[in-house]
Amino acid sequence: MSLDYENDREFHEQVIEDVLETYPEKTRKRRKKHLNVVSEGDSDCGVKSNIKSMPGVMTVRGCAYAGSKGVVWGPIKDMVHISHGPVGCGHYSWGQRRNYYTGETGINTFAAMQFTSDFQERDIVFGGDKKLRELIDEIETLFPLTKGVTIQSECPVGLIGDDIEAVAKDKGKALDKPVVPVRCEGFRGVSQSLGHHIANDTIRDWIFDREKPSDLEDPDAGFEPSPYDVVVIGDYNIGGDCWASRKILEEVGLRVIAQWTGDTSLAELERAPKAKLNLIHCYRSMNYISRHMEEKYGTPWMEFNFFGPSKIETSLRAIAENFDDTIKENVEKVIAKYRPLADEVIEKYRPRLEGKKVMLYVGGLRPRHMVSAYEDLGMEIVGAGYEFAHKDDYQRTMSHVKDGTLIFDDVTAYEMEKFIERIRPDLVGSGIKEKYPIQKMGVPFRQVHSWDYSGPYHAYDGFAIFAKDMDLAINNPVWGKFKAPWVEA
Amino acid sequence: MPQSVEKLKDHVKLFHEPEYADMLRDKRENFECPHPEDTVREISEWSKTEEYQEKNLARKSLVVNPAKACQPLGAVFAASGFEGTLSFVHGSQGCVAYYRSHLSRHFKEPASAVSSSMTEDAAVFGGLNNMIDGLANAHSLYEPKMIAVSTTCMAEVIGDDLNAFIATSKEKGSVPQDFPVPFAHTPAFQGSHVNGYDNMLKGILTNFWEQAERTPGTAINIIPGFDGFCVGNNRELKRILDLMDVEATIVADPSDVYDTPSDGEFRMYDGGTTIEETKAALNAKATLSLQEYCTKKTLAYASGKDQETASLHYPMGVEATDEMLMKISELSGKPIPDELVLERGRLVDAMTDSMSIAHGKTFAVFGDPDFVYGMCRYLMEMGAEPRHALATNGTKPWAKKMKALLESNPYGQKCEVWQGKDLWHMRSLLNTAPVDFLIGSSHGKYLERDTGTPLIRLSFPIFDRHHHHRFPTWGYQGGLQVLVRILDKILDTVDDDTNEAGVTDISFDLTR
């Protein structure tokens, strides 16, 4: 369903103008290009994107390492991912992303662990390659069931001239396992985004194109292709998202031969090119490898959206278009099966959420992908922005937002605070760094990277949880307690 | 259908439902090429053996689940203890996103800091322009009273010179000439967050003290150190100082900025040691550190300014609090008031009442060096026995001091000190030489799961339990909190072991 509303264009334009006033001139000119109010019919949101953050402004962005280790590679559960460099990067990203998986951690799966080379001064001075070789051997000794190793480079590795590729080649041969060097040093690129790209490229070069030693287990062994084989790409299984999606995809008769990357095994990486269709949820972080699979293996790909019943239905039907009538019929059955659940959710929560205004500031996908789920609950999007989106994301956003919506790219903490102060949305969806300042301002908030330790939010099972969480965030009685009764407003 | 509006299930229960359990089993069997179950079981069992431990302890290069962070985190924490101070971390921007997230996840509070957002070109040409623009932007947007500059490892590797960069930035008008911009080089490849704390603190003091003339006074400075319980502890410390009527400055006090109210206003800055107090701290008679290993350089600097210096190791429990009070009394010349003697008596009373519960129980403790020292000392006061004392960021002198503490006490005889070891080492230790309880941070929950050792969360970071840091663990009142946390865990465990109706519930006692 599509809600009919528009946002207050003039007011939003004024807000942008006022917010920019405080900046020093050079920064004002630059930031101006990242803020806009959209007009219906435009081809994109009219903001610059994917360019360097200004120093000192408190950008929310992370780095290439976060995009590679944190997002794309980290959830490959049966490989060990080495945070190669000093201890911090691996420490702060340890166990924080909630990409759920099954397995015995430390024995046959390793995702919620922190493996690091813990660089010391001598490693900076003399180089870390020798240490890297030694620690890969130590991983082999202590974690013999690991299916492979990735080397997630931190800043110093790229600055001191280490040759991790050489180490990876040698060790890969010696161990008969993939050893993948990833050049995701944090100073590369302008955000997490380049890290996604680099990680995608290393999957291509070091997994797909790997010369498999003859004695390695054959990923084709025991694998019988079917006409219904699909891969879900760009679903990181936050709080179990991908499982909720997988469940309905299987119900319509498709066979999910791989999930990328959440609860992912090396075998699923290796076998993905055998799919008939790649289904992409997070376009931003994994379009690269999908395009590659299309070029090299002829696998078509399509974007889909499992946030909220409207988009789930549209997406299921669009997916079915790629298959035979059995799947098309099944899709209708599945939609019919789950519609009562979706209706009940809406019946219960919509009256409590109707007309509430939402502002979203997330990574590269959710500010557009989640819009319809909010609208299913009668909520309206007043502002949306991305940390690390590119132009094609802002183009894709246009079909999701209404006239007059405030758009902000790589927003600064200052801008965010001012926007919220002026617009006073009923709910903000963003990350942990934004959560507490915004809540203190008296504005309800949900983390929409980690689902605020809840989830899943994808598919029908997830939509019920999503609705419940938005309701509790907005309607919790604590919002009425901010002022002491004897203190005048 | 596992989901319904009436009985809504989230991730905690949803995936235990048969539809999901079957789906995940099929996924595993059909698509994951898993190792055979027997092999997994075999390796799992092997990982608990002496043989595995030997290989594990022989590791030279690989570090797994270390209980330490990097220097700039400590620098950001230290700077947050000063009034109106914004941390500016020079280097790659992702690091700052990490420090902010890390601190917010622990304190459940905002954590503000900016980055100079250096990218590939800055790696080649240096980050001077990033510093110039960054200081100007930070100054005009966030209106701090002071900007404290530290570094990520990127800036350290390329050798950016903070002193020169800040001077140039001031010349270019990024901030006024007299605006305080203290700095510290905080390379992530040396030491850990406790050293970053030390370096930043020394940097801030140097900024205000170096050109100033010292007029020796009677006040004392107290440095709390890097402490996840700073909110509760620093307030308790202030209460004690008020009771003693001591003229004291807490140097770096983030207890307010990490505990601001929800009343409609976001305070980016709140409380903290004022700039005037920081300047005046040069005149103090003495500087007392409550965590020696967080303040080595800072104390040496204070000592070089002719101040008396002394240091403690996380004043938790009776003796450590006695020692702290006596030291403060000695340095300030103020007596310890009766009220504190009464509080002491109440803590001792509580320990007496409950002695049978903790006595003889065995513990493993991990965390920052001073915490581990203080915690083990307090455990031994209860008649409990520390068996493993582990600090990934412990130094050799720390290990020596730990050993001396343990050897001096009958309850410490069986304790081993693990300096520089990580939590994967601890996993082996808990498997081969099990203990009754584990004390540490949230990262210990993996050890609790893998080895069945119940975890008591008493050190930084605590992500998966809320608000404990708002209560003190220092002083006699803090000692009481810690005692209760430990007793609760022990007694919950006893109840858990005796709560199956008609089977194990013979001693499911009402009174314990």
Side-chain angles (χ1 to χ4, degrees):
Chain A
M1 81 157 7
S2 183
L3 273 193
D4 198 18
Y5 61 93
E6 58 182 59
N7 288 305
D8 189 338
R9 152 180 307 284
E10 272 178 33
F11 173 52
H12 286 175
E13 281 168 353
Q14 185 61 49
V15 169
I16 291 179
E17 205 172 301
D18 295 347
V19 163
L20 285 169
E21 229 165 64
T22 314
Y23 280 102
E25 198 185 338
K26 179 176 167 190
T27 310
R28 176 162 57 239
K29 276 188 190 156
R30 302 264 287 268
R31 283 304 306 157
K32 194 173 190 314
K33 298 174 183 161
H34 296 265
L35 308 173
N36 197 26
V37 180
V38 294
S39 306
E40 216 161 293
D42 284 356
S43 63
D44 75 12
C45 298
V47 292
K48 289 268 186 203
S49 59
N50 196 33
I51 51 181
K52 278 194 279 189
S53 305
M54 298 296 291
V57 297
M58 215 178 303
T59 173
V60 174
R61 283 174 167 176
C63 62
Y65 165 90
S68 176
K69 188 267 185 179
V71 175
V72 176
W73 275 111
I76 314 289
K77 63 179 179 176
D78 51 5
M79 296 175 81
V80 164
H81 311 289
I82 304 161
S83 294
H84 188 39
V87 72
C89 317
H91 187 75
Y92 309 121
S93 56
W94 176 10
Q96 294 294 1
R97 202 151 161 278
R98 304 191 68 236
N99 23 241
Y100 283 181
Y101 63 92
T102 62
E104 192 175 339
T105 300
I107 305 302
N108 63 353
T109 48
F110 312 94
M113 295 173 70
Q114 135 76 327
F115 291 86
T116 177
S117 45
D118 189 15
F119 264 27
Q120 301 300 305
E121 185 134 35
R122 62 179 177 274
D123 302 310
I124 303 288
V125 177
F126 300 111
D129 287 343
K130 187 165 168 270
K131 188 177 208 179
L132 182 60
R133 284 172 198 274
E134 194 168 67
L135 75 82
I136 291 172
D137 289 338
E138 289 173 348
I139 289 170
E140 190 60 20
T141 303
L142 291 169
F143 307 96
L145 300 186
T146 178
K147 296 282 186 80
V149 169
T150 71
I151 303 155
Q152 306 286 326
S153 304
E154 300 171 8
C155 290
V157 172
L159 298 171
I160 61 176
D162 274 10
D163 190 356
I164 58 168
E165 287 78 9
V167 177
K169 271 183 198 146
D170 288 356
K171 283 290 156 194
K173 275 198 190 116
L175 300 175
D176 286 352
K177 290 178 182 178
V179 177
V180 183
V182 191
R183 287 286 182 179
C184 56
E185 289 90 345
F187 60 81
R188 295 192 198 279
V190 301
S191 69
Q192 292 92 314
S193 187
L194 188 63
H196 306 142
H197 197 153
I198 291 168
N200 277 225
D201 288 353
T202 49
I203 292 174
R204 178 194 65 202
D205 296 344
W206 294 82
I207 300 294
F208 288 173
D209 295 351
R210 189 165 69 97
E211 282 178 38
K212 294 181 182 67
S214 56
D215 57 347
L216 191 79
E217 275 179 75
D218 181 0
D220 296 350
F223 183 82
E224 288 294 325
S226 95
Y228 302 118
D229 289 355
V230 297
V231 176
V232 176
I233 293 188
D235 185 332
Y236 300 100
N237 207 32
I238 308 299
D241 275 344
C242 197
W243 291 336
S245 297
R246 182 185 190 101
K247 183 163 148 274
I248 55 172
L249 289 170
E250 288 186 352
E251 277 186 70
V252 304
L254 297 174
R255 195 169 79 139
V256 181
I257 64 165
Q259 289 178 201
W260 281 29
T261 60
D263 191 35
T264 308
S265 53
L266 174 63
E268 287 168 84
L269 280 191
E270 291 177 331
R271 279 174 175 166
K274 298 181 184 311
K276 299 292 181 293
L277 178 66
N278 283 330
L279 300 172
I280 305 189
H281 214 248
C282 181
Y283 169 84
R284 179 70 275 131
S285 55
M286 283 219 165
N287 75 84
Y288 319 99
I289 195 73
S290 308
R291 291 176 194 279
H292 172 74
M293 282 194 265
E294 184 175 44
E295 279 168 27
K296 182 156 183 189
Y297 308 104
T299 320
W301 55 276
M302 64 171 283
E303 294 170 62
F304 76 113
N305 181 351
F306 271 5
F307 282 112
S310 298
K311 288 293 178 192
I312 298 171
E313 289 184 10
T314 317
S315 293
L316 280 176
R317 289 185 174 124
I319 291 167
E321 287 304 313
N322 298 276
F323 297 95
D324 59 18
D325 287 348
T326 322
I327 300 294
K328 289 186 186 117
E329 284 158 23
N330 286 347
V331 158
E332 293 310 319
K333 282 183 204 154
V334 165
I335 289 172
K337 174 184 166 189
Y338 284 99
R339 188 164 283 154
L341 172 64
D343 288 347
E344 270 179 62
V345 170
I346 290 168
E347 193 186 342
K348 176 168 179 184
Y349 292 105
R350 186 164 174 146
R352 302 168 62 80
L353 297 170
E354 186 92 51
K356 300 290 186 192
K357 295 191 186 308
V358 183
M359 231 160 127
L360 295 173
Y361 182 68
V362 210
L365 172 83
R366 286 169 180 169
R368 62 175 180 275
H369 243 195
M370 295 181 77
V371 169
S372 173
Y374 284 106
E375 290 177 351
D376 283 339
L377 295 167
M379 303 168 80
E380 302 173 4
I381 307 299
V382 283
Y386 296 99
E387 270 181 52
F388 48 76
H390 298 204
K391 191 173 175 63
D392 50 359
D393 297 299
Y394 283 105
Q395 288 166 342
R396 283 168 164 76
T397 306
M398 281 310 294
S399 59
H400 298 266
V401 292
K402 297 284 190 284
D403 193 70
T405 304
L406 177 69
I407 301 290
F408 32 92
D409 176 72
D410 184 21
V411 81
T412 69
Y414 176 81
E415 291 161 8
M416 186 86 167
E417 186 187 338
K418 296 296 161 193
F419 289 155
I420 291 165
E421 235 170 52
R422 294 284 294 277
I423 295 169
R424 297 297 298 183
D426 299 294
L427 178 72
V428 175
S430 192
I432 181 73
K433 303 188 287 300
E434 294 69 62
K435 180 183 173 84
Y436 301 107
I438 291 169
Q439 286 187 168
K440 283 177 197 290
M441 292 164 74
V443 175
F445 186 96
R446 286 295 293 185
Q447 291 183 63
V448 286
H449 296 267
S450 67
W451 302 150
D452 233 321
Y453 324 118
S454 177
Y457 282 177
H458 287 177
Y460 291 105
D461 289 350
F463 177 64
I465 302 163
F466 169 77
K468 180 262 295 176
D469 286 348
M470 298 311 127
D471 174 44
L472 79 82
I474 289 177
N475 293 314
N476 188 282
V478 78
W479 300 118
K481 308 278 187 290
F482 270 44
K483 294 290 176 202
W486 61 89
V487 177
E488 284 178 31
Chain B
M1 241 184 350
Q3 189 62 292
S4 76
V5 176
E6 281 313 301
K7 286 193 172 165
L8 201 138
K9 295 186 192 71
D10 69 6
H11 59 96
V12 178
K13 291 279 166 68
L14 186 64
F15 303 125
H16 299 166
E17 292 289 315
E19 288 95 331
Y20 279 101
D22 293 350
M23 182 187 86
L24 294 176
R25 189 201 56 230
D26 290 348
K27 175 182 184 292
R28 190 159 53 245
E29 286 173 3
N30 299 328
F31 303 109
E32 294 184 3
C33 291
H35 294 284
E37 276 179 36
D38 288 349
T39 311
V40 176
R41 208 171 306 125
E42 186 192 321
I43 298 296
S44 179
E45 289 308 313
W46 173 64
S47 77
K48 298 170 189 164
T49 61
E50 297 272 2
E51 184 200 336
Y52 188 89
Q53 174 169 304
E54 199 177 308
K55 290 179 193 293
N56 194 4
L57 288 170
R59 263 192 278 143
K60 285 200 176 70
S61 295
L62 176 67
V63 176
V64 186
N65 298 352
K68 67 170 180 181
C70 65
Q71 279 214 41
L73 180 82
V76 169
F77 179 90
S80 70
F82 290 85
E83 181 197 20
T85 299
L86 181 64
S87 262
F88 180 106
V89 192
H90 184 54
S92 301
Q93 74 193 9
C95 315
V96 173
Y98 277 143
Y99 316 139
R100 295 181 63 207
S101 302
H102 203 69
L103 291 166
S104 281
R105 285 179 179 129
H106 171 80
F107 288 111
K108 317 297 176 201
E109 288 289 322
S112 303
V114 299
S115 164
S116 63
S117 293
M118 285 166 66
T119 52
E120 214 146 1
D121 52 348
V124 177
F125 301 110
L128 176 60
N129 288 330
N130 297 66
M131 177 74 77
I132 294 170
D133 290 344
L135 287 178
N137 285 332
H139 185 254
S140 53
L141 289 181
Y142 300 111
E143 299 175 333
K145 292 186 175 162
M146 164 157 84
I147 297 178
V149 179
S150 51
T151 47
T152 77
C153 52
M154 178 209 184
E156 287 300 317
V157 172
I158 66 173
D160 277 3
D161 179 350
L162 293 183
N163 195 17
F165 281 17
I166 292 167
T168 309
S169 301
K170 285 189 170 181
E171 278 165 27
K172 301 250 179 196
S174 298
V175 296
Q177 275 294 347
D178 59 351
F179 184 83
V181 186
F183 65 91
H185 288 277
T186 50
F189 44 83
Q190 286 172 1
S192 73
H193 56 286
V194 300
N195 305 94
Y197 178 95
D198 193 9
N199 286 333
M200 190 74 250
L201 197 54
K202 185 186 165 204
I204 290 171
L205 296 184
T206 305
N207 182 83
F208 294 108
W209 291 6
E210 205 47 30
Q211 306 301 328
E213 193 68 35
R214 180 170 187 262
T215 317
T218 53
I220 58 171
N221 301 323
I222 300 183
I223 304 174
F226 188 104
D227 179 23
F229 279 71
C230 64
V231 171
N233 281 342
N234 290 3
R235 288 182 184 161
E236 178 62 11
L237 187 61
K238 282 187 262 188
R239 191 185 67 86
I240 290 172
L241 293 169
D242 281 349
L243 283 174
M244 291 179 73
D245 194 25
V246 169
E247 196 189 341
T249 304
I250 296 184
V251 180
D253 176 15
S255 60
D256 286 341
V257 79
Y258 290 132
D259 193 23
T260 61
S262 269
D263 59 2
E265 183 195 346
F266 161 49
R267 298 157 176 83
M268 181 178 279
Y269 313 106
D270 204 17
T273 314
T274 66
I275 287 170
E276 287 314 309
E277 286 167 343
T278 310
K279 286 179 184 167
L282 171 63
N283 302 325
K285 177 172 181 277
T287 294
L288 170 64
S289 163
L290 303 187
Q291 295 196 70
E292 181 179 321
Y293 298 105
C294 292
T295 48
K296 285 268 186 195
K297 287 184 182 172
T298 305
L299 280 195
Y301 180 67
S303 177
K305 295 289 169 194
D306 294 334
Q307 295 183 359
E308 263 181 73
T309 59
S311 55
L312 305 172
H313 299 293
Y314 214 81
M316 203 155 49
V318 183
E319 279 175 27
T321 304
D322 293 348
E323 205 175 270
M324 175 177 76
L325 297 184
M326 288 190 292
K327 184 51 87 177
I328 292 172
S329 174
E330 176 200 320
L331 294 172
S332 66
K334 294 284 172 80
I336 300 167
D338 290 347
E339 195 161 344
L340 286 170
V341 181
L342 201 59
E343 281 183 20
R344 184 185 190 280
R346 288 175 186 141
L347 173 60
V348 173
D349 181 67
M351 291 166 71
T352 312
D353 298 342
S354 315
M355 67 172 85
S356 63
I357 296 162
H359 191 108
K361 292 285 185 293
T362 57
F363 286 80
V365 179
F366 72 89
D368 287 343
D370 292 290
F371 169 80
V372 173
Y373 189 100
M375 191 71 245
C376 287
R377 189 178 185 190
Y378 188 24
L379 284 171
M380 294 191 293
E381 290 185 308
M382 297 175 201
E385 296 181 28
R387 291 290 172 85
H388 305 294
L390 182 148
T392 308
N393 50 354
T395 55
K396 279 186 183 142
W398 168 80
K400 202 173 157 197
K401 211 161 182 185
M402 274 306 301
K403 282 177 190 153
L405 170 76
L406 296 160
E407 279 163 13
S408 71
N409 192 307
Y411 298 92
Q413 299 299 312
K414 291 180 184 164
C415 187
E416 291 232 48
V417 176
W418 303 98
Q419 175 237 330
K421 297 298 177 192
D422 56 43
L423 299 186
W424 196 256
H425 292 124
M426 182 70 107
R427 186 182 186 273
S428 278
L429 301 173
L430 296 179
N431 278 318
T432 60
V435 294
D436 297 319
F437 298 94
L438 172 67
I439 292 178
S441 70
S442 286
H443 290 122
K445 77 187 295 177
Y446 303 116
L447 296 169
E448 181 176 43
R449 176 193 60 193
D450 290 359
T451 69
T453 319
L455 170 68
I456 304 163
R457 293 163 178 80
L458 284 168
S459 77
F460 180 88
I462 299 176
F463 297 133
D464 61 340
R465 296 292 184 273
H466 292 205
H467 308 310
H468 287 298
H469 67 273
R470 296 177 202 259
F471 301 94
T473 58
W474 289 351
Y476 303 122
Q477 292 293 340
L480 195 57
Q481 296 277 359
V482 172
L483 177 70
V484 171
R485 296 280 308 282
I486 292 172
L487 295 175
D488 275 353
K489 183 61 86 176
I490 298 175
L491 293 172
D492 283 347
T493 309
V494 176
D495 278 342
D496 288 347
D497 289 345
T498 59
N499 65 2
E500 205 179 333
V503 183
T504 63
D505 66 348
I506 294 163
S507 54
F508 193 62
D509 292 333
L510 184 60
T511 303
R512 293 201 190 274

mmCIF file of all heavy atoms in Angstrom, chain B residues 281-293:
data_model
loop_
_atom_site.group_PDB
_atom_site.id
_atom_site.type_symbol
_atom_site.label_atom_id
_atom_site.label_comp_id
_atom_site.label_asym_id
_atom_site.label_seq_id
_atom_site.Cartn_x
_atom_site.Cartn_y
_atom_site.Cartn_z
ATOM 1 N N ALA B 281 45.595 22.790 39.507
ATOM 2 C CA ALA B 281 46.077 21.492 39.990
ATOM 3 C C ALA B 281 47.597 21.419 40.031
ATOM 4 O O ALA B 281 48.180 20.592 40.736
ATOM 5 C CB ALA B 281 45.517 20.376 39.116
ATOM 6 N N LEU B 282 48.251 22.328 39.291
ATOM 7 C CA LEU B 282 49.719 22.396 39.336
ATOM 8 C C LEU B 282 50.198 22.722 40.753
ATOM 9 O O LEU B 282 51.259 22.281 41.183
ATOM 10 C CB LEU B 282 50.203 23.474 38.344
ATOM 11 C CG LEU B 282 51.671 23.851 38.386
ATOM 12 C CD1 LEU B 282 52.562 22.658 38.022
ATOM 13 C CD2 LEU B 282 51.952 25.013 37.438
ATOM 14 N N ASN B 283 49.391 23.501 41.458
ATOM 15 C CA ASN B 283 49.802 23.970 42.783
ATOM 16 C C ASN B 283 49.545 22.958 43.890
ATOM 17 O O ASN B 283 49.844 23.202 45.048
ATOM 18 C CB ASN B 283 49.066 25.272 43.120
ATOM 19 C CG ASN B 283 49.345 26.327 42.076
ATOM 20 O OD1 ASN B 283 50.453 26.395 41.539
ATOM 21 N ND2 ASN B 283 48.336 27.135 41.764
ATOM 22 N N ALA B 284 48.947 21.844 43.509
ATOM 23 C CA ALA B 284 48.584 20.866 44.533
ATOM 24 C C ALA B 284 49.814 20.378 45.278
ATOM 25 O O ALA B 284 50.921 20.322 44.734
ATOM 26 C CB ALA B 284 47.858 19.688 43.891
ATOM 27 N N LYS B 285 49.557 20.017 46.511
ATOM 28 C CA LYS B 285 50.623 19.456 47.348
ATOM 29 C C LYS B 285 51.040 18.092 46.788
ATOM 30 O O LYS B 285 52.211 17.734 46.769
ATOM 31 C CB LYS B 285 50.062 19.295 48.760
ATOM 32 C CG LYS B 285 50.998 18.668 49.766
ATOM 33 C CD LYS B 285 50.358 18.755 51.160
ATOM 34 C CE LYS B 285 51.242 18.181 52.231
ATOM 35 N NZ LYS B 285 51.134 16.730 52.341
ATOM 36 N N ALA B 286 50.029 17.366 46.354
ATOM 37 C CA ALA B 286 50.307 15.991 45.935
ATOM 38 C C ALA B 286 49.303 15.536 44.881
ATOM 39 O O ALA B 286 48.210 16.091 44.782
ATOM 40 C CB ALA B 286 50.225 15.057 47.139
ATOM 41 N N THR B 287 49.700 14.532 44.119
ATOM 42 C CA THR B 287 48.774 13.896 43.182
ATOM 43 C C THR B 287 48.706 12.410 43.517
ATOM 44 O O THR B 287 49.732 11.734 43.597
ATOM 45 C CB THR B 287 49.217 14.102 41.728
ATOM 46 O OG1 THR B 287 49.128 15.490 41.415
ATOM 47 C CG2 THR B 287 48.338 13.324 40.762
ATOM 48 N N LEU B 288 47.477 11.953 43.718
ATOM 49 C CA LEU B 288 47.258 10.552 44.056
ATOM 50 C C LEU B 288 46.526 9.871 42.905
ATOM 51 O O LEU B 288 45.468 10.324 42.487
ATOM 52 C CB LEU B 288 46.392 10.465 45.335
ATOM 53 C CG LEU B 288 45.849 9.086 45.719
ATOM 54 C CD1 LEU B 288 46.983 8.118 46.066
ATOM 55 C CD2 LEU B 288 44.878 9.215 46.905
ATOM 56 N N SER B 289 47.119 8.805 42.400
ATOM 57 C CA SER B 289 46.448 8.037 41.349
ATOM 58 C C SER B 289 45.767 6.829 41.971
ATOM 59 O O SER B 289 46.356 6.132 42.798
ATOM 60 C CB SER B 289 47.467 7.567 40.308
ATOM 61 O OG SER B 289 46.892 6.524 39.543
ATOM 62 N N LEU B 290 44.544 6.576 41.562
ATOM 63 C CA LEU B 290 43.842 5.403 42.082
ATOM 64 C C LEU B 290 44.091 4.173 41.217
ATOM 65 O O LEU B 290 43.650 3.087 41.551
ATOM 66 C CB LEU B 290 42.347 5.699 42.207
ATOM 67 C CG LEU B 290 41.997 6.910 43.086
ATOM 68 C CD1 LEU B 290 40.501 7.012 43.294
ATOM 69 C CD2 LEU B 290 42.710 6.855 44.437
ATOM 70 N N GLN B 291 44.769 4.389 40.074
ATOM 71 C CA GLN B 291 45.124 3.255 39.208
ATOM 72 C C GLN B 291 46.522 3.489 38.645
ATOM 73 O O GLN B 291 46.696 4.185 37.650
ATOM 74 C CB GLN B 291 44.117 3.095 38.075
ATOM 75 C CG GLN B 291 42.719 2.714 38.535
ATOM 76 C CD GLN B 291 41.886 2.199 37.381
ATOM 77 O OE1 GLN B 291 42.134 1.117 36.858
ATOM 78 N NE2 GLN B 291 40.890 2.967 36.981
ATOM 79 N N GLU B 292 47.483 2.869 39.274
ATOM 80 C CA GLU B 292 48.881 3.104 38.929
ATOM 81 C C GLU B 292 49.173 2.875 37.445
ATOM 82 O O GLU B 292 49.891 3.650 36.814
ATOM 83 C CB GLU B 292 49.759 2.172 39.772
ATOM 84 C CG GLU B 292 51.241 2.348 39.497
ATOM 85 C CD GLU B 292 52.113 1.433 40.354
ATOM 86 O OE1 GLU B 292 51.797 1.247 41.545
ATOM 87 O OE2 GLU B 292 53.093 0.893 39.818
ATOM 88 N N TYR B 293 48.604 1.786 36.901
ATOM 89 C CA TYR B 293 48.993 1.428 35.539
ATOM 90 C C TYR B 293 48.308 2.287 34.478
ATOM 91 O O TYR B 293 48.589 2.150 33.297
ATOM 92 C CB TYR B 293 48.768 -0.072 35.304
ATOM 93 C CG TYR B 293 49.636 -0.882 36.247
ATOM 94 C CD1 TYR B 293 49.090 -1.525 37.363
ATOM 95 C CD2 TYR B 293 51.022 -0.928 36.065
ATOM 96 C CE1 TYR B 293 49.890 -2.216 38.256
ATOM 97 C CE2 TYR B 293 51.824 -1.616 36.959
ATOM 98 C CZ TYR B 293 51.258 -2.256 38.056
ATOM 99 O OH TYR B 293 52.061 -2.916 38.935
#
